[in-house]
């Protein structure tokens, strides 16, 4: 039932828009050694971030590097699209990376 509700909401959204842009994660990257935060700003937090709805619904989504947080850590931009329109998501990802190249930009150590 939840999957059907999500798909219906996404169907309505993608009737109006070709793409949905979100942060990949709602928080700054965490240390690989942990611990993973259980709360963010007093709210229960799921580490999967904003990727889960599209994994659950089957909509294509890609993450591109969007820059750095105030703490100097990399941040991602998620680009999601209509079902079966992987081509549009990949084209948008490519276009974004052409306008905002990142290969020569690394966090300060």
């Amino acid at each position: 039932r939840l999957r059907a509700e999500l798909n219906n909401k996404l169907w309505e959204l993608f009737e109006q828009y070709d793409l949905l842009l979100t942060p990949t994660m709602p928080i700054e990257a965490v240390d690989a050694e942990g611990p993973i935060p259980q709360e963010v700003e007093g709210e229960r937090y799921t580490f999967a971030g904003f990727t889960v709805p599209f994994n659950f619904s089957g909509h294509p989504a890609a993450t591109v590097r969007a820059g750095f947080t105030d703490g100097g850590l990399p941040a991602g931009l998620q680009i999601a699209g209509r079902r079966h329109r992987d081509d549009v998501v990949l084209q948008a990802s490519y276009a974004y990376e052409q306008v905002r190249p990142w290969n020569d930009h690394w966090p300060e150590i």
Side-chain angles (χ1 to χ4, degrees), residues 16-48:
Q16 292 185 313
Y17 304 100
D18 294 322
L19 296 167
L20 175 64
L21 307 179
T22 71
T24 302
M25 299 295 290
I27 64 169
E28 188 172 65
V30 297
D31 190 313
E33 295 177 9
I36 297 172
Q38 300 299 309
E39 285 188 1
V40 174
E41 296 179 4
E43 296 291 326
R44 188 171 182 277
Y45 168 71
T46 302
F47 187 70

Side-chain angles (χ1 to χ4, degrees), residues 23 25-30 65-76 107-108:
M25 299 295 290
I27 64 169
E28 188 172 65
V30 297
R65 189 163 156 187
F68 298 98
T69 65
D70 290 342
L73 297 172
E108 303 265 337

Side-chain angles (χ1 to χ4, degrees), residues 41-88:
E41 296 179 4
E43 296 291 326
R44 188 171 182 277
Y45 168 71
T46 302
F47 187 70
F50 299 126
T51 59
V52 170
F54 304 106
N55 293 337
F56 192 57
S57 70
H59 286 75
T63 294
V64 294
R65 189 163 156 187
F68 298 98
T69 65
D70 290 342
L73 297 172
L77 170 69
Q78 179 175 240
I79 302 172
R82 292 181 178 139
R83 286 182 63 95
H84 309 295
R85 293 311 312 260
D86 302 62
D87 60 325
V88 174

